[in-house]
Amino acid sequence: MHLLQNIFWWLAFLFCGIILQLYVPGLDALVVGIILVSLEKDYKTMVWLVPAVVILQEGMGSLSFGFSMFYIASFFLLYRLSQSIALASRLIFYLLVSIGMGALHSFYSWFFATLQNVPYDMNVVVHDGVLQTFYILVAWPILGRLRRLVAHDEKKAES
């Protein structure tokens, strides 16, 4: 039963993320799922979630082509570099990852638009980066709590 609950949670997350990205162009709503899986160290889920997110991002076309692969790889690098900070202060880690991901979002938006010779407005690029930062700042704790409820129910069912 807990496996089914976990599957439904991730399907609901992906569905809601896709809907959110449909109505908020320039936002990567699915990266929070990768953040949660990384924090949980749930490598079985990570094996299918990361490729699924990359394929969904590239297929939706709300971001430049190639953006999601580099963005997710950059998250793993940022996560690895800031892991020692997580041991010292959870709040600083949380802020560093959120701000870093927002800055990387702006950089990759500009970089891939320039690389693909697509016209871009720098105000929109910066706005999208700030929006991404605030989205991660808000969604991470909310989805983390919801995820802990599901994970707590799984652990209760296993005992």
Side-chain angles (χ1 to χ4, degrees):
M1 184 64 173
H2 59 41
L3 178 64
L4 197 57
Q5 188 177 17
N6 191 37
I7 291 170
F8 283 136
W9 193 92
W10 284 111
L11 287 175
F13 168 78
L14 290 172
F15 178 76
C16 291
I18 290 168
I19 297 299
L20 183 61
Q21 282 187 209
L22 177 68
Y23 290 107
V24 185
L27 178 71
D28 183 358
L30 301 177
V31 76
V32 176
I34 294 172
I35 292 171
L36 294 175
V37 167
S38 298
L39 290 173
E40 291 176 2
K41 294 181 173 44
D42 184 4
Y43 301 115
K44 287 187 229 176
T45 303
M46 191 181 295
V47 165
W48 68 265
L49 184 65
V50 170
V53 167
V54 169
I55 290 169
L56 286 170
Q57 293 290 24
E58 296 299 333
M60 284 187 281
S62 61
L63 303 168
S64 298
F65 181 75
F67 177 99
S68 64
M69 290 181 285
F70 282 95
Y71 191 60
I72 291 170
S74 296
F75 162 71
F76 286 121
L77 180 64
L78 180 64
Y79 178 77
R80 187 76 175 146
L81 290 173
S82 59
Q83 252 181 337
S84 60
I85 294 172
L87 299 174
S89 172
R90 190 78 170 153
L91 178 64
I92 292 174
F93 171 74
Y94 171 70
L95 291 173
L96 178 69
V97 170
S98 299
I99 292 169
M101 292 305 288
L104 285 169
H105 191 279
S106 290
F107 171 73
Y108 285 134
S109 294
W110 166 81
F111 179 75
F112 281 103
T114 303
L115 189 65
Q116 296 169 14
N117 202 19
V118 175
Y120 64 91
D121 181 8
M122 199 56 164
N123 291 329
V124 172
V125 169
V126 171
H127 175 267
D128 288 349
V130 171
L131 179 67
Q132 185 70 35
T133 299
F134 284 114
Y135 171 73
I136 292 173
L137 283 171
V138 171
W140 185 350
I142 292 171
L143 291 173
R145 283 205 176 116
L146 290 173
R147 183 75 190 130
R148 276 191 293 271
L149 290 174
V150 171
H152 182 67
D153 287 346
E154 286 178 18
K155 288 179 184 173
K156 204 185 294 183
E158 288 175 2
S159 340

